[in-house]
């Protein structure tokens, strides 16, 4: 499944991934795909729910995107005791200083991306924000080619083209999506901020993959969880500084009292937002670990039209014909990518089978003599 790895046999950019059985890796990939899908579909909806009912703290919303990192700690503790009870040599922390500083840098970039995205979603409907974020796939493909020498097949190129065209089709209805009472200047600034978020996250995904490749240590799923925790920790610190400067901590109690759905629901939404976005980030880096940054970008792009459909259901946003076309194109692109992966994994098996048969034929001829 890692097409890009075959192109890096001499440059030592290949990650030293710990041995994982194909069945376990496939299960892990499916689990992370589910987490990523839940996060990309649920995260924007919950964040928009906060803004629709009276919330207006952009830095607080940015903070919540990565503030769920403590949920990873119990998982790491459980994995530690499992390793210790299996009588294998283990360490408490796998991450080395080199990898720690690289991950911290990625975390700061993630914090900046969180702010750009939250600012855009505060000004734009979910459907408009999602269609802009869909352009992130093109940025991911471009940076994956530059940073990790991602190999493209006709199927993966077809998937990128279809998903990008789907985003373009959705863009046809943006002019009618400006919320009531919002100035054109605010709307355009939200648009620009969301484009910036798409570009930056399109850079972050391959950067995470490059971090794996340059880590100079075995990449296990436990280490992936540590990377996720450190990355989200530094992103949260970045957003916390913004909250302090913007006096968000002082305003939260008052905003909770004035919230349209009530004080209890206010804090419930904040907690649900943190947990859902943590699913997104954990799923994203997990898919990179099991496959590639390109696949992570493709799953995000495929889930965005689903998010739009959910926005229509929960926020009564308009569902134009363009959204239906984009949904079909996204599913087509998704199917194209996985069919290409199926073909690429089946090909070596066919070659091995034919090789085995040619080796057996002379033996059967000799046995007749």
């Amino acid at each position: 499944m890692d097409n890009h790895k075959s192109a890096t046999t001499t440059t030592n950019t290949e990650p030293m991934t710990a041995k994982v059985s194909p069945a376990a890796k496939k299960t892990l990939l499916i689990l992370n795909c589910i987490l990523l899908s839940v996060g990309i579909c649920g995260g924007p909806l919950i964040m928009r729910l906060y803004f629709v009912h009276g919330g207006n703290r952009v830095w607080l919303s940015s903070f919540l995107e990565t503030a769920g990192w403590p949920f990873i700690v119990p998982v790491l503790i459980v994995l530690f005791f499992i390793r210790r009870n299996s009588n294998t040599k283990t360490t408490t922390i796998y991450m080395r200083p080199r990898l720690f500083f690289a991950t911290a840098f990625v975390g700061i970039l993630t914090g900046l991306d969180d702010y750009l995205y939250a600012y855009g979603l505060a000004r734009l409907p979910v459907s408009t924000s999602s269609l802009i974020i869909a352009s992130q796939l093109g940025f991911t493909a471009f940076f994956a080619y530059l940073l990790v020498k991602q190999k493209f097949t006709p199927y993966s190129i077809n998937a990128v083209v279809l998903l990008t065209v789907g985003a373009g089709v959705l863009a046809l209805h943006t002019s009618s999506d400006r919320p009531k009472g919002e100035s054109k200047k605010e709307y355009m600034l939200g648009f620009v901020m969301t484009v910036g978020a798409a570009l930056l996250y399109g850079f972050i995904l391959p950067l995470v993959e490059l971090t794996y490749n340059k880590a100079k240590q075995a990449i296990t799923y436990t280490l992936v969880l540590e990377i996720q925790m450190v990355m989200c920790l530094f992103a949260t610190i970045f957003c916390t500084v913004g909250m302090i400067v913007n006096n968000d901590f002082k305003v939260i109690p008052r905003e909770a009292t004035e919230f349209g759905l009530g004080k209890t629901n206010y804090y419930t939404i904040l907690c649900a937002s943190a947990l859902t976005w943590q699913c997104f980030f954990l799923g994203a880096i997990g898919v990179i670990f099991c496959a590639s940054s390109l696949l992570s970008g493709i799953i995000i792009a495929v889930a965005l039209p689903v998010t739009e459909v959910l926005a229509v259901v929960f926020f009564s946003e308009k569902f134009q014909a363009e959204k239906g076309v984009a949904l079909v194109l996204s599913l087509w692109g998704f199917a194209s990518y996985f069919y290409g992966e199926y073909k690429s994994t089946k090909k070596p098996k066919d070659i091995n089978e034919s090789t085995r048969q040619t080796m057996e034929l002379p033996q059967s001829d000799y046995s007749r003599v």
Side-chain angles (χ1 to χ4, degrees):
M1 196 168 282
D2 292 311
N3 293 335
H4 63 285
K5 291 181 181 177
S6 60
T8 56
T9 54
T10 60
T11 57
N12 198 28
T13 59
E14 197 173 275
M16 295 184 290
T17 307
K19 290 183 179 180
V20 181
S21 68
K25 199 162 191 178
K26 215 172 263 187
T27 303
L28 203 56
L29 177 60
I30 293 171
L31 175 61
N32 281 288
C33 286
I34 293 172
L35 287 173
L36 180 55
S37 301
V38 169
I40 195 59
C41 290
L45 295 173
I46 297 173
M47 184 180 286
R48 185 61 185 169
L49 183 66
Y50 163 79
F51 287 119
V52 166
H53 290 282
N56 58 10
R57 315 308 297 181
V58 175
W59 277 112
L60 171 60
S61 299
S62 311
F63 169 87
L64 292 173
E65 290 184 54
T66 52
W69 63 266
F71 289 112
I72 300 175
V73 176
V75 180
L76 288 172
I77 292 173
V78 170
L79 290 175
F80 171 76
F81 282 109
I82 290 174
R83 292 195 307 272
R84 197 175 72 169
N85 292 336
S86 63
N87 296 322
T88 57
K89 186 179 179 181
T90 186
T91 56
T92 307
I93 299 174
Y94 279 95
M95 185 178 290
R96 296 173 185 169
R98 170 193 174 93
L99 184 56
F100 174 83
F101 289 115
T103 304
F105 173 72
V106 177
I108 293 171
L109 290 181
T110 302
L112 175 59
D113 183 72
D114 291 344
Y115 177 77
L116 295 175
Y117 179 76
Y119 190 98
L121 196 58
R123 303 291 184 272
L124 306 176
V126 174
S127 56
T128 305
S129 175
S130 295
L131 73 89
I132 299 170
I133 291 296
S135 64
Q136 168 254 321
L137 178 63
F139 296 125
T140 300
F142 174 73
F143 288 118
Y145 176 77
L146 290 181
L147 296 179
V148 295
K149 308 303 179 186
Q150 172 74 49
K151 283 183 67 178
F152 288 93
T153 66
Y155 300 101
S156 60
I157 292 173
N158 185 50
V160 171
V161 171
L162 287 169
L163 291 164
T164 305
V165 170
V169 170
L170 285 171
L172 296 175
H173 78 282
T174 53
S175 59
S176 62
D177 267 4
R178 181 151 52 99
K180 291 180 181 179
E182 186 172 286
S183 68
K184 189 174 181 180
K185 181 181 178 182
E186 289 177 326
Y187 180 86
M188 289 307 299
L189 186 57
F191 195 97
V192 170
M193 289 289 207
T194 308
V195 171
L199 191 154
L200 184 55
Y201 202 67
F203 174 70
I204 288 172
L205 287 176
L207 187 61
V208 170
E209 187 172 1
L210 182 66
T211 303
Y212 289 169
N213 296 351
K214 299 289 187 179
K216 293 186 177 179
Q217 65 179 103
I219 305 296
T220 64
Y221 194 65
T222 300
L223 181 58
V224 169
L225 291 175
E226 290 180 3
I227 290 172
Q228 166 70 0
M229 188 176 69
V230 172
M231 189 174 74
C232 287
L233 172 62
F234 276 86
T236 305
I237 292 171
F238 178 88
C239 294
T240 302
V241 173
M243 289 182 68
I244 293 171
V245 172
N246 203 42
N247 292 321
D248 280 11
F249 288 105
K250 295 180 180 179
V251 177
I252 287 174
R254 188 185 71 207
E255 188 176 72
T257 304
E258 299 171 354
F259 192 64
L261 297 178
K263 188 174 182 178
T264 302
N265 286 329
Y266 176 84
Y267 289 110
T268 301
I269 288 171
L270 297 190
C271 294
S273 182
L275 181 58
T276 307
W277 280 116
Q278 193 57 220
C279 290
F280 167 78
F281 283 108
L282 187 57
I285 68 164
V287 170
I288 295 172
F289 168 72
C290 297
S292 68
S293 57
L294 181 62
L295 177 58
S296 188
I298 284 175
I299 292 172
I300 292 170
V302 168
L304 289 172
V306 179
T307 306
E308 296 204 15
V309 173
L310 294 174
V312 171
V313 174
F314 293 110
F315 297 120
S316 300
E317 295 183 5
K318 296 178 181 178
F319 189 84
Q320 294 95 333
E322 294 91 345
K323 293 183 181 179
V325 173
L327 181 59
V328 172
L329 289 174
S330 296
L331 294 174
W332 184 7
F334 192 64
S336 174
Y337 179 85
F338 275 101
Y339 180 72
E341 289 300 304
Y342 169 75
K343 294 274 287 184
S344 65
T345 53
K346 186 181 178 184
K347 204 170 184 181
K349 292 181 181 178
D350 293 341
I351 294 173
N352 291 337
E353 189 66 31
S354 62
T355 304
R356 194 181 300 115
Q357 289 176 358
T358 54
M359 291 176 66
E360 289 173 353
L361 281 174
Q363 294 175 4
S364 62
D365 289 340
Y366 289 134
S367 63
R368 291 194 191 100
V369 178

